[in-house]
Amino acid sequence: MARAVRVVVLGSGSWGTTIASLSARNTPTTLWARNDDIAREIDTEHRNRRYLGERPLPQGLRATSDLEEAAREADVLVVGVPSHAVRKTLEQVVDEIRAWVPVVSLVKGLEPGTRLRPTEVIAECLPGHPVGLLAGPNIAGEIADGMAAASVVAMQDEAVSAALQPLFATSLFRVYRNTDVLGCELGGILKNIVAIAAGMAEGLSVGDNTRAMVLSRGLAEMTRLGEAMGADPRTFAGLTGMGDLIATCTSPSSRDRRVGEALARGLSIDEAVEALGQVAEGVKTAPTVMELAREYGVEMPIAAEVAAVVTGKSTPTDAYRGLRRVTPGDEKDIV
């Protein structure tokens, strides 16, 4: 009888813990937590109170704070640490991960300095491994509460993605496939910037019409940059584009939206991030995305205003004044 596939998830934040909980219902799963106390709490009390409150975790989910031990166990490795920690984390376990183990990213940011996407960082650290991502309109707390949702596993090799699908899928969590890794990954990265803009809109009480404008124009900016970089523009109309954008911009649980709301209340960016207590990837990503936009010659006025606010060069009020000054062109040009 074949041995069950063991999934190892690196990162015990809300999303990493939720994915580990889903896979633990289907196959043996180990969650690595940097913090000893969190690992012990998950392993013995089946709770991750810091990130998921009192929501119960599956009895079969194991947790450890031993990174090397976790990496050695992996038949499938899931990377759920913040974007700035991906390289440092994987460099510690390069010699522990067996050859050809697929690696799935949950990360939605760009590496500081290099501007590399998480899958590119993973491929550099672990050459020869199939690398992809799992992404979609996924608010961790809702999925942990058993609400229906869907996601996409994106891999260039469709045979690998087909093998990964059943590891994460449940009756209430549908998993689709996509071979456009670039487009799916960019959607998850870029929507965080629009979510900060949506949060600022909420905090400024600018109205539903303005929020709708920000979401639709934000999606157009995402699509334009994605297509310029070589992604399939159709990807941005799917779960990892429009779906993830809607969830992140409208949910009160969205970290980037909450940062935008705090900025609109007058907090500085440092105060807003400190009040959040978690990583909001859009804060660090916005200036880097503007570098890409200039490099590819793509107009991104919403991202530009957000980047100005998070770097302290502008205020949320000034940002929305700036958006009103943008001269409208042909509406079809938004895509």
Side-chain angles (χ1 to χ4, degrees):
M1 184 175 177
R3 181 176 69 89
V5 172
R6 178 169 290 279
V7 172
V8 171
V9 180
L10 304 183
S12 60
S14 55
W15 187 220
T17 303
T18 299
I19 287 298
S21 298
L22 292 172
S23 66
R25 292 172 169 84
N26 299 317
T27 195
T29 300
T30 300
L31 179 63
W32 172 74
R34 187 183 306 276
N35 183 290
D36 291 336
D37 293 335
I38 291 178
R40 192 177 305 110
E41 182 181 58
I42 293 170
D43 209 40
T44 60
E45 299 181 44
H46 310 293
R47 298 284 191 281
N48 184 346
R49 291 182 175 88
R50 176 174 178 180
Y51 292 105
L52 289 175
E54 292 297 331
R55 296 176 176 91
L57 304 176
Q59 295 286 318
L61 175 61
R62 277 201 59 231
T64 180
S65 58
D66 187 327
L67 179 58
E68 292 186 0
E69 176 198 358
R72 281 194 296 269
E73 291 183 356
D75 299 313
V76 173
L77 186 69
V78 179
V79 180
V81 299
S83 58
H84 65 267
V86 172
R87 189 181 298 274
K88 183 179 178 181
T89 302
L90 293 181
E91 283 177 345
Q92 297 176 63
V93 293
V94 169
D95 297 329
E96 309 299 331
I97 301 169
R98 285 174 283 113
W100 301 108
V101 167
V103 186
V104 179
S105 171
L106 305 179
V107 188
K108 296 181 176 180
L110 295 169
E111 184 178 47
T114 68
R115 301 188 319 203
L116 292 176
R117 293 174 285 112
T119 58
E120 293 177 311
V121 177
I122 293 168
E124 281 193 0
C125 294
L126 304 173
H129 290 260
V131 178
L133 63 137
L134 182 72
N138 303 142
I139 302 298
E142 293 184 3
I143 296 169
D145 286 336
M147 298 181 184
S151 198
V152 173
V153 59
M155 284 265 179
Q156 289 183 338
D157 188 331
E158 210 165 2
V160 177
S161 58
L164 293 172
Q165 268 180 296
L167 299 179
F168 305 104
T170 70
S171 59
L172 291 171
F173 188 72
R174 305 186 72 176
V175 179
Y176 295 85
R177 297 191 304 273
N178 195 322
T179 56
D180 182 17
V181 175
L182 173 60
C184 290
E185 192 162 33
L186 282 174
I189 293 167
L190 299 174
K191 54 87 184 180
N192 287 326
I193 301 170
V194 185
I196 294 175
M200 293 191 300
E202 184 70 25
L204 294 171
S205 300
V206 297
D208 292 334
N209 292 330
T210 303
R211 278 191 290 267
M213 178 190 73
V214 168
L215 264 67
S216 58
R217 299 290 295 178
L219 178 62
E221 290 187 14
M222 292 164 54
T223 306
R224 281 201 301 269
L225 181 60
E227 189 171 12
M229 292 179 68
D232 183 344
R234 294 174 299 177
T235 299
F236 294 90
L239 288 167
T240 59
M242 180 164 56
D244 201 358
L245 178 70
I246 292 171
T248 311
C249 289
T250 61
S251 171
S253 301
S254 163
R255 288 173 287 184
D256 288 281
R257 175 182 143 142
R258 284 160 59 193
V259 165
E261 291 175 355
L263 291 169
R265 292 197 302 270
L267 272 66
S268 70
I269 187 62
D270 291 337
E271 292 168 338
V273 171
E274 184 179 355
L276 180 68
Q278 299 183 50
V279 174
E281 291 282 8
V283 172
K284 292 182 178 179
T285 301
T288 307
V289 164
M290 288 314 301
E291 293 177 16
L292 289 173
R294 287 188 288 270
E295 183 178 316
Y296 285 92
V298 175
E299 291 292 325
M300 300 185 72
I302 292 174
E305 294 291 352
V306 171
V309 172
V310 300
T311 54
K313 298 173 183 174
S314 182
T315 68
T317 302
D318 289 339
Y320 272 85
R321 286 179 184 147
L323 290 174
R324 287 203 299 268
R325 287 195 294 268
V326 174
T327 303
D330 190 321
E331 204 268 341
K332 295 190 293 297
D333 290 339
I334 68 170
V335 294

